[in-house]
Amino acid sequence: MPRTDAVLADPRLEGMAERLGRGVVKDAVGRAQERVRRGEIEPEDVADAALAALPAHAATIRPVINMTGVLLHTNLGRAPLSAAAVDAAVAAAGATDVEFDLATGVRARRGRGAMEALARAVPAAEAVHVVNNNAAALVLVATVLAAGREIVISRGELVEIGDGFRIPDLLVSTGARLREVGTTNRTSLADYRDAVGPDTGFVLKVHPSNFRVEGFTGSVEVAELTGLGVPVVSDIGSGLLEREPLLPDEPDAASALKAGADLVTASGDKLLGGPQAGLLLGRRDLVERCRRHPLARALRVDKLTLAALEATLRGPATPVHRALHADPAVLHRRARAMAEAMAAAGIEAKAVPSQATVGGGGAPGVTLPSAAVSLPEGLAAPLRTGDLPVVGRVEGGRLLLDLRTLPPDRDGEVVKTVIAVSG
Ligand SMILES: *Cc1c(COP(=O)(O)O)cnc(C)c1O
């Protein structure tokens, strides 16, 4: 067995250690030595095997191809960033002027480019602020406006966001008390009016972004709540800044502010299509109080996020927007071409109609007509665990690779990957 330090002295591996770190390269050498012990490779091939098995990056987090048909798949990192946002984040990775005015040489408002872009995108907002995510925005607002006081909220809007995290628990963790009003299916203006009093910090509207209540239901719109004499905060969830005609039931920041919301909170990495972030928009005095609170420092966003958010707001249509607006006829054409190429390689593949969804990030119950390549279910695991993981969904004993979540320039890559893992 060749000694580890002797293998690591190979100039090619030394070069890779410069890029990836010595530990990463050493691990790869260790795995190659294991293969020699198992008799899979010859001792003299350890360096080559280690080199071939080196990861592309020093981090173990891996890019995957989302063909689940779920546009905003939380487990797959929600919104994929646009090329413009990726470039901006990479450019911001070194020393930047994120909090520095180059003209005067003094400290400046952190992330002002992103704030300006957000303010310009939502003229109805007097002021804006950005924190780590929407949960952070809610915590900040609850702390600033309602610590030791009450948040009035409908029982129909006590939402679990996911992975056991619940908005009511989040709010209570700030020291605010919840004043629940109405019932699961129906809440009236009178319910809110009866609950509002001297102890009220604000009324909170939470968009039920991952479930739907049907039948005998009733809720109160933001516009009706503005006459109660207390601030109205609207958590719209998805981060749509203006109305999206394809998703008529999804709230947007501009409409909520025009309806009279004092503050709107939203996520950056849902339908907005940007990096994980929490957007706060609305009345200048309230936004300023949030921005100045000590907790704001703990919820501060990173320069990479600010750069990506600004580029998302100023740049071309995001991948999420493109996926949402993709023409089903084009998706079918792409699925057929991919299935044909796979079938020509002897794989049992065919193009089938499919139903995509927006996902936990918004528009519950909405399905988007789509097309998929249907493959034998047995390919699901090898595709997931290959060099370029492709994640589809298993349905009716078949693996469906849904085209709606695949950028068109990657069709060929997926065909090649499927053929490679089938071989
Ligand atoms: C997703 C969501 C949240 C949580 O947002 P994060 O950005 O994931 O913290 C809060 N409220 C609503 C209505 C949501 O849809």
Side-chain angles (χ1 to χ4, degrees):
M1 179 68 63
R3 287 166 43 110
T4 304
D5 39 357
V7 181
L8 284 171
D10 182 306
R12 296 169 305 167
L13 288 174
E14 269 186 339
M16 291 310 282
E18 287 288 314
R19 270 187 50 208
L20 297 174
R22 201 176 147 83
V24 174
V25 176
K26 208 171 154 188
D27 287 347
V29 171
R31 285 193 302 274
Q33 289 168 328
E34 263 314 302
R35 295 183 62 195
V36 174
R37 276 186 209 104
R38 289 199 300 266
E40 292 171 17
I41 57 172
E42 296 303 321
E44 59 270 27
D45 294 336
V46 166
D48 285 349
L51 204 60
L54 277 175
H57 305 283
T60 56
I61 189 164
R62 290 177 63 193
V64 307
I65 293 192
N66 175 13
M67 295 191 77
T68 60
V70 181
L71 269 60
L72 299 166
H73 200 299
T74 298
N75 304 148
L76 301 181
R78 287 196 186 151
L81 294 183
S82 65
V86 171
D87 286 350
V90 169
T96 68
D97 65 344
V98 64
E99 211 177 296
F100 185 71
D101 181 18
L102 291 168
T104 57
V106 297
R107 184 168 191 279
R109 183 178 174 188
R110 185 178 176 84
R112 58 212 172 283
M115 307 294 164
E116 277 162 26
L118 182 56
R120 187 187 298 182
V122 189
E126 281 176 16
V128 303
H129 185 54
V130 178
V131 290
N132 189 45
N133 57 14
N134 191 10
L138 285 169
V139 162
L140 187 57
V141 172
T143 304
V144 170
L145 298 185
R149 303 176 70 202
E150 287 183 352
I151 300 170
V152 179
I153 182 170
S154 162
R155 290 197 172 87
E157 299 175 10
L158 301 171
V159 178
E160 174 168 320
I161 320 170
D163 196 24
F165 288 100
R166 296 171 168 174
I167 289 181
D169 297 344
L170 191 75
L171 296 169
V172 167
S173 75
T174 66
R177 294 187 303 279
L178 291 191
R179 181 73 181 263
E180 299 174 13
V181 300
T183 60
T184 306
N185 55 327
R186 287 176 70 84
T187 303
S188 69
L189 181 57
D191 293 326
Y192 285 99
R193 200 183 287 123
D194 289 348
V196 166
D199 243 12
T200 305
F202 62 94
V203 171
L204 178 62
K205 282 286 294 175
V206 176
H207 176 55
S209 54
N210 53 10
F211 71 101
R212 219 164 54 168
V213 182
E214 282 175 55
F216 187 51
T217 63
S219 61
V220 185
E221 297 300 316
V222 166
E224 301 173 75
L225 295 169
T226 56
L228 297 174
V230 293
V232 177
V233 178
S234 175
D235 170 15
I236 62 167
S238 77
L240 281 182
L241 299 182
E242 47 193 35
R243 273 185 51 74
E244 167 53 68
L246 283 183
L247 306 172
D249 295 333
E250 204 53 33
D252 66 279
S255 303
L257 290 167
K258 281 183 200 138
D262 297 279
L263 278 179
V264 167
T265 73
S267 296
D269 56 352
K270 292 183 179 174
L271 287 167
L272 182 66
Q276 179 187 305
L279 316 181
L280 258 168
L281 310 102
R283 255 172 58 190
R284 185 176 307 281
D285 58 331
L286 302 183
V287 171
E288 278 305 301
R289 279 172 63 193
C290 289
R291 203 162 80 80
R292 297 267 165 228
H293 191 280
L295 187 58
R297 180 62 175 77
L299 309 176
R300 186 171 97 163
V301 272
D302 178 56
K303 60 190 176 186
L304 304 184
T305 302
L306 288 164
L309 179 62
E310 180 177 357
T312 300
L313 291 164
R314 292 194 200 275
T318 64
V320 171
H321 186 272
R322 287 174 208 261
L324 186 63
H325 288 264
D327 177 354
V330 173
L331 299 178
H332 278 280
R333 210 175 307 138
R334 289 170 54 199
R336 273 197 303 274
M338 290 172 71
E340 273 165 28
M342 293 176 200
I347 297 162
E348 194 219 315
K350 58 178 194 285
V352 296
S354 168
Q355 298 285 334
T357 55
V358 172
V366 172
T367 52
L368 306 160
S370 185
V373 177
S374 167
L375 293 168
E377 187 184 342
L379 284 178
L383 275 173
R384 251 189 357 254
T385 52
D387 287 340
L388 176 61
V390 177
V391 186
R393 67 176 194 275
V394 173
E395 219 172 81
R398 301 285 294 175
L399 171 66
L400 299 187
L401 301 184
D402 196 305
L403 272 286
R404 195 175 270 275
T405 43
L406 181 72
D409 60 351
R410 306 200 72 176
D411 292 7
E413 237 177 315
V414 171
V415 170
K416 258 196 224 146
T417 305
V418 170
I419 292 173
V421 303
S422 305

